[in-house]
């Protein structure tokens, strides 16, 4: 008879078989190399869970690869913090932990324009209040009604509503009036100084993708999630000094590769006309 499966694309009995490894992992000291080895095995074994959760959020405008990376960080935290003596089932503990990490990413990192955290929180609260009040009132609520519902001022509600433009900026192709020249790009269009960096960014993206998994994770934690070296050391189960050396070595390597490639492109000259 076929085995029972969960929504996480792996037989449930396979996950139950990992329980002894979780207990063994929790029994080792944080600096025990056996714990680091077990941690890596457990993270790989539960990766389908993290990727499944990441795909649930994939329609919110963020690349699935980025969401999977964030979900994997959440999985690492879950493995590190899981206590078999207190929690009966790892998945019941891990799934909320992973989802919390992904939601935190959307709250703190997925905004197109850097916005104060207090405004982000109010933006989400206003969105929830608007949906609840609309259902109860049978119409869209006013700013005063939302303010009363949340116990905040009308100005704070207005500020939160205005923050929508920071999360979902208007398209440059949006038409502001009549005629072919009325799009936002034609009204605001200027030469973007970042155009000169497009080639470098593309080159760096390819070079980073070719790095070993540990170095890629380390760079993502440092420059995407803005974690400290101490926090990175905790996630990777290595010393802070080791993180510092790896970061310096990896960045030096990337810089040298970028400079060599750009120099080679300059020496090659412009392409010949056909």
């Amino acid at each position: 008879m076929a085995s029972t499966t969960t929504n996480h694309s792996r037989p449930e009995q396979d996950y139950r078989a990992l329980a002894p490894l979780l207990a063994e992992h929790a029994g080792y000291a944080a600096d025990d190399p056996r714990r680091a080895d077990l941690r890596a095995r457990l993270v790989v074994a539960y990766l389908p869970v993290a990727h499944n959760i990441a795909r649930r959020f994939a329609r919110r405008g963020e690349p699935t690869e980025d969401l999977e990376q964030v979900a994997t960080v959440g999985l690492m935290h879950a493995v590190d913090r899981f206590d078999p003596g207190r929690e009966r089932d790892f998945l019941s503990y891990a799934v909320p932990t992973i989802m919390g990490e992904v939601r935190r990413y959307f709250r703190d990192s997925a905004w197109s324009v850097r916005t104060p955290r207090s405004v982000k929180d109010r933006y989400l609260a206003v969105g929830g209040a608007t949906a609840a009040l609309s259902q109860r009132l049978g119409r869209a609520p006013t700013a005063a009604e939302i303010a009363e519902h949340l116990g905040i001022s009308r100005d704070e509600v207005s500020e939160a509503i205005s923050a929508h433009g920071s999360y979902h900026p208007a398209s440059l192709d949006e038409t502001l009036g009549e005629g072919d020249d009325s799009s936002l790009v034609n009204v605001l269009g200027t030469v973007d100084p970042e155009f000169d960096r497009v080639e470098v960014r593309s080159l760096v993206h390819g070079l980073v993708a070719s790095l070993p998994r540990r170095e890629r994770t380390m760079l993502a934690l440092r420059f995407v999630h803005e974690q400290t070296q101490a926090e990175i050391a905790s996630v990777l189960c290595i010393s802070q000094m080791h993180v510092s050396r790896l970061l310096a070595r990896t960045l030096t390597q990337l810089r040298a590769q970028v400079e060599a490639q750009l120099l080679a492109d300059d020496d090659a000259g412009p392409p010949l006309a056909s």
Side-chain angles (χ1 to χ4, degrees), residues 43-201:
V43 168
V44 170
Y46 283 104
L47 267 182
V49 177
H51 289 179
N52 181 279
I53 291 173
R55 286 192 290 271
R56 296 184 189 180
F57 294 85
R59 296 183 178 180
R60 298 192 181 185
E62 293 297 307
T64 301
E65 182 179 347
D66 290 354
L67 297 178
E68 288 180 348
Q69 191 174 66
V70 173
T72 301
V73 172
L75 172 60
M76 292 177 180
H77 290 325
V79 171
D80 288 340
R81 300 167 185 169
F82 179 68
D83 182 357
R86 298 178 57 185
E87 305 287 345
R88 291 182 299 176
D89 176 61
F90 176 72
L91 286 179
S92 298
Y93 175 80
V95 169
T97 301
I98 297 169
M99 293 186 71
E101 191 72 25
V102 176
R103 290 194 177 104
R104 213 165 14 251
Y105 169 77
F106 276 99
R107 185 193 65 192
D108 297 335
S109 305
W111 290 64
S112 300
V113 179
R114 188 170 295 275
T115 306
R117 180 171 174 174
S118 59
V119 177
K120 296 177 185 178
D121 291 340
R122 282 199 296 273
Y123 170 78
L124 297 176
V126 167
T130 300
L133 290 173
S134 296
Q135 185 174 10
R136 190 175 75 191
L137 300 173
R139 58 174 174 79
T142 64
E145 289 169 336
I146 296 173
E148 181 180 0
H149 180 81
L150 295 176
I152 60 178
S153 69
R154 289 184 59 178
D155 288 342
E156 288 174 320
V157 171
S158 299
E159 182 183 39
I161 294 173
S162 299
H164 178 79
S166 298
Y167 191 76
H168 293 292
S171 169
L172 292 178
D173 294 325
E174 181 179 347
T175 300
L176 302 178
E178 297 182 359
D180 296 334
D181 297 330
S182 62
S183 64
L184 189 60
V185 68
N186 288 323
V187 173
L188 302 178
T190 58
V191 177
D192 190 339
E194 291 296 312
F195 282 164
D196 292 337
R197 302 182 184 180
V198 169
E199 183 179 358
V200 175
R201 291 179 186 274

Side-chain angles (χ1 to χ4, degrees), residues 3-41:
S3 61
T4 303
T5 59
T6 69
N7 290 330
H8 305 300
S9 304
R10 182 185 177 99
E12 185 178 354
Q13 63 183 19
D14 285 3
Y15 287 127
R16 288 201 299 265
L18 296 172
L21 292 181
L22 287 163
E24 185 179 355
H25 173 268
Y28 290 130
D31 58 351
D32 193 317
R34 293 172 295 179
R35 178 183 172 94
D37 179 65
L38 277 175
R39 179 179 186 266
R41 291 170 57 187

